[in-house]
Amino acid sequence: MYKNLLETAKKARENAYCKYSGFAVGAALLCSDGTVFSGCNIENISYSLTNCAERTAFFKAVSEGKKDFTAIAVVGAVKSEDCSEEPCYPCGACLQVMSELGGPGLDVVLLQNGEAVVMKLSELMPRAFCSEF
Ligand code: THU
C-alpha cells in the first residue's frame, strides 16, 4: 500500500537543499482527489528558517487550492543510505501542520525494513492542540 507515494517521496528527496545538516528528506502528499504534491527539506544559513520536506509538500498543495488530504509519505536516511531500514518520523512542527491541515485521520506512510508502515496522525500525535479547543 502507498508504494507509489513512497517512490515519489524518495524522488523528491533527491532535490533536498540540505547543505548544513547533510540530512536529506523527501515527502509526497496524496490529496483526496488523487493528486500528489512532493516536497523536500530546504535549509538556510539562518538555520531556523529551514523548511522540512513535509511542510514544503503541504504548503505547495494548499497554495494550489487543495484542502483535503489522505496520506503523506516521508523518507529520510536514518540508518541505511537507501532510507529503508528505520522510519524517519516527522518532527513536532510538521506534526502540528499535519494536524491543522490533514487532521487525526491522515495516513502517515513511513519506510521500515523495506516495507511501508502506515500510521494515523493520531498515533504519532495523540493529544494534539487543535482548533476544537
Ligand atoms: N527534516 C525534515 O525535512 N522533516 C522532518 O520531519 C524532520 C527534519 C529536515 C530539517 C533539516 O533540514 C534536516 O532534516 C535535519 O534536521
Side-chain angles (χ1 to χ4, degrees):
M1 210 185 171
Y2 293 129
K3 202 166 179 286
N4 290 345
L5 202 64
L6 278 164
E7 282 310 311
T8 304
K10 269 194 179 175
K11 197 102 200 97
R13 183 173 174 266
E14 292 170 15
N15 295 329
Y17 180 82
C18 56
K19 62 200 272 189
Y20 304 105
S21 74
F23 190 79
V25 184
L29 176 63
L30 175 65
C31 306
S32 51
D33 65 4
T35 51
V36 173
F37 287 81
S38 62
C40 62
N41 51 332
I42 305 167
E43 299 188 344
N44 195 287
I45 182 62
S46 179
Y47 298 159
S48 64
L49 296 180
T50 291
N51 207 59
C52 291
E54 300 92 315
R55 282 178 287 143
T56 302
F58 262 104
F59 297 159
K60 282 171 67 179
V62 171
S63 68
E64 295 298 323
K66 303 300 176 187
K67 288 185 169 63
D68 296 306
F69 305 100
T70 304
I72 186 165
V74 186
V75 292
V78 175
K79 261 188 169 173
S80 55
E81 251 323 289
D82 69 353
C83 308
S84 70
E85 206 174 328
E86 287 289 329
C88 178
Y89 290 109
C91 77
C94 289
L95 291 176
Q96 184 66 33
V97 168
M98 289 180 201
S99 169
E100 177 75 28
L101 300 171
L106 182 76
D107 282 339
V108 180
V109 186
L110 307 169
L111 251 183
Q112 186 166 35
N113 299 323
E115 303 281 333
V117 175
V118 185
M119 305 177 98
K120 290 289 176 195
L121 179 64
S122 57
E123 290 177 66
L124 290 168
M125 200 188 198
R127 290 182 181 80
F129 178 70
C130 61
S131 56
E132 277 154 39
F133 298 159

